[in-house]
Amino acid sequence: MTETALLTEQLRSLIDGENNQITILANACALLNDTLADINWAGFYIYNEGTNELDLGPFQGKVACMHIKPGRGVCGTAFTTQQTQRVADVHQFPGHIACDSASNSELVIPLGRFGVLDIDSPKHDRFSAIEQSRLEEFASALCDHLDAAPSYPVQ
């Protein structure tokens, strides 16, 4: 079993029985940060209906942008289109929001109404199509569990 394929099984074991969405997301990003090689940020932006923004959620890495408008940057694009954004060179992405100048590639996976999973790397072209697919499986398992958990009030 590959590193990313094993992640989904580890996630399921880790969050089994947990019903707090923030706790689930916190451990999910810690798992990604601890397991994936050559990344410098892993975390979540949570959609806030009240402000129509993606708010910074649990993450591992350097300080980050706290609010992103849907449609802006890689995260906002992934959320608006509901399509994974695998960017080999973020400096070539129109409207890229640079929170950490050390990040050179990015993978952002939409989580439906919840927001997005964002993973950054200092390496160019860090994320393969196969890894994208496996991390999308991870995100799908995460969303299934989040759907079953009571929502955390975000104001």
Side-chain angles (χ1 to χ4, degrees):
M1 191 176 283
T2 66
E3 177 181 280
T4 51
L6 182 60
L7 271 174
T8 301
E9 293 308 312
Q10 289 175 316
L11 174 71
R12 285 187 177 116
S13 295
L14 184 64
I15 64 178
D16 184 44
E18 180 55 54
N19 62 9
N20 181 300
Q21 290 182 350
I22 298 300
T23 302
I24 292 165
L25 295 175
N27 266 338
C29 68
L31 177 62
L32 291 168
N33 189 61
D34 192 45
T35 306
L36 298 177
D38 298 319
I39 67 166
N40 60 338
W41 203 92
F44 299 93
Y45 281 93
I46 302 167
Y47 181 64
N48 182 330
E49 289 182 19
T51 62
N52 188 36
E53 291 183 324
L54 293 164
D55 293 339
L56 180 63
F59 71 95
Q60 300 272 313
K62 291 186 178 182
V63 297
C65 302
M66 293 186 285
H67 306 281
I68 298 174
K69 291 281 186 196
R72 280 202 67 227
V74 181
C75 289
T77 299
F79 182 74
T80 300
T81 63
Q82 288 296 300
Q83 294 181 345
T84 298
Q85 301 294 306
R86 181 167 45 100
V87 182
D89 182 352
V90 296
H91 307 291
Q92 302 302 312
F93 190 92
H96 173 252
I97 302 167
C99 295
D100 181 355
S101 62
S103 292
N104 287 309
S105 63
E106 189 168 6
L107 181 68
V108 181
I109 301 170
L111 302 173
R113 64 185 174 86
F114 295 109
V116 298
L117 164 60
D118 181 15
I119 308 170
D120 295 359
S121 174
K123 290 180 66 176
H124 285 91
D125 203 17
R126 158 64 180 83
F127 304 99
S128 69
I130 292 170
E131 189 168 40
Q132 173 184 330
S133 176
R134 292 192 176 131
L135 287 166
E136 287 170 337
E137 290 172 19
F138 176 93
S140 178
L142 182 63
C143 284
D144 289 346
H145 199 83
L146 290 171
D147 275 335
S151 50
Y152 183 81
V154 177
Q155 299 295 326

